[in-house]
Amino acid sequence: MSGLFYEFDPGGDVVFVLKDVPHSLPHSLGDLAASDLSGRHDSRQPRPPNTPAPGPSIGMVNEVKPRSLHIQASSKHMTLASPQFMRTFQHGFREGTALHSVGHVEIPIYDWKPLPFLLLMAILHGRNRLVPRALSLHRLAEMAVLVDYYECYDAVVILSDLWIEAVGQDRPYLCGEKLMEWLCITWVFQRGIDFSLITGTIQLEIGGVITANNLPVPAAIIGMYYPSMIISAALKRNEK
C-alpha cells in the first residue's frame, strides 16, 4: 500500500482513502499532534522569517509527488455517533452491502479536505490527544460543514463550545468570507445569540441578499433581507 496508513482501530472494518494529503503529515499516526489539525499554522516546521522557499537544484527539478492517506476506522464507532454513517453502512447502500457481505469496505473520500476529515475521525474514535482545544476560524467552519453533513452534533457538543470560545476574541475583526464562515458556525452549533448578532453584522456589511458560499445554511435563512426575520428563524430553530 503506497502513501500513509493511519490506524484508528486495529480491528477496523472501514478504510477511507484520501488523495493529495499535505506532505506535512507525519508518516505515523503516533507522531501526529493536535496542533497539526488545528489549522492555526501552515506547516509542522515553518521556515524562519525572511527565509526564501527552497528551490530546485541547478540542472535538476525535484518533482513533489502527491501522497494518499488510508485511514482504518471502525464502522461501529462511526454509526454510534453519526446517523449519516449509520445509513451509509446499512444494506441497500453500496458501502453497506460490501461491508456486510465481505466484512470490510474501502471508501474513497473526494468531497472533504484531508485534515478536517482526519480530525473528525479522531473525535469519533476517542483519540482525545489528537483533538485541538482551539481551531482557526476557517478550520472551525470546515468542521461545522462536516458535523452538519454527518449529523454528529452530540459527539462534538463540548468541543464546539471550546472551539467557539477560543475564536471569540477575533469576532470584532470578522470581514468578508469570515463573516459567512462565522454564520455557518453559529447556525450548525446552534449558538442563538451569536447567530443573531452575526446576521445583523452581515446585513450592515453586505447590505443585500446573503449568499451561502457553499456553506450549510438553509436558503430560507440566507435569502432574507432583514436581520429581524433571520433572528426570528434562528430562535425558532434553537427552541426545538
Side-chain angles (χ1 to χ4, degrees):
M1 180 183 298
S2 61
L4 304 177
F5 182 81
Y6 285 0
E7 186 180 76
F8 278 97
D9 186 333
D13 49 4
V14 178
V15 174
F16 294 107
V17 182
L18 298 95
K19 303 293 186 181
D20 297 330
V21 300
H23 283 263
S24 59
L25 284 177
H27 183 73
S28 169
L29 180 61
D31 294 326
L32 187 68
S35 58
D36 297 319
L37 304 178
S38 69
R40 294 166 68 90
H41 55 79
D42 294 330
S43 64
R44 289 171 58 86
Q45 295 180 337
R47 294 190 303 273
N50 302 321
T51 301
S57 302
I58 298 176
M60 179 178 64
V61 176
N62 296 322
E63 182 180 353
V64 179
K65 296 182 179 180
R67 290 199 302 177
S68 63
L69 170 64
H70 290 68
I71 300 175
Q72 185 174 4
S74 164
S75 63
K76 183 176 181 180
H77 281 81
M78 292 183 287
T79 55
L80 286 174
S82 163
Q84 175 62 30
F85 276 127
M86 180 177 291
R87 291 189 291 269
T88 299
F89 296 134
Q90 287 178 343
H91 281 293
F93 287 85
R94 180 182 61 82
E95 297 87 349
T97 300
L99 181 61
H100 290 283
S101 61
V102 183
H104 58 85
V105 64
E106 184 174 285
I107 303 175
I109 298 296
Y110 300 112
D111 297 327
W112 310 125
K113 293 182 179 179
L115 296 185
F117 189 80
L118 190 54
L119 176 53
L120 181 66
M121 289 296 103
I123 294 170
L124 298 187
H125 288 81
R127 297 296 186 97
N128 296 328
R129 180 186 66 82
L130 298 177
V131 180
R133 297 302 181 262
L135 303 179
S136 68
L137 179 69
H138 183 64
R139 180 55 44 80
L140 181 51
E142 291 177 322
M143 292 306 297
V145 173
L146 282 174
V147 168
D148 187 70
Y149 179 82
Y150 289 109
E151 304 171 47
C152 50
Y153 308 100
D154 289 345
V156 300
V157 64
I158 296 177
L159 288 168
S160 63
D161 286 341
L162 291 175
W163 293 337
I164 289 171
E165 291 304 317
V167 300
Q169 59 186 352
D170 296 327
R171 292 180 216 175
Y173 306 102
L174 297 179
C175 60
E177 292 184 359
K178 291 183 178 180
L179 289 171
M180 299 308 301
E181 290 180 337
W182 186 244
L183 178 70
C184 168
I185 291 164
T186 57
W187 172 261
V188 169
F189 296 123
Q190 300 191 26
R191 305 281 291 200
I193 295 177
D194 290 324
F195 183 84
S196 301
L197 293 173
I198 193 60
T199 52
T201 301
I202 289 173
Q203 288 296 322
L204 292 174
E205 292 286 337
I206 298 177
V209 176
I210 304 169
T211 57
N213 294 338
N214 296 320
L215 296 172
V217 182
I221 299 298
I222 291 297
M224 295 178 179
Y225 268 91
Y226 300 103
S228 60
M229 297 174 67
I230 302 176
I231 292 170
S232 176
L235 292 176
K236 288 181 180 179
R237 179 178 187 268
N238 283 281
E239 288 173 357
K240 293 181 180 180

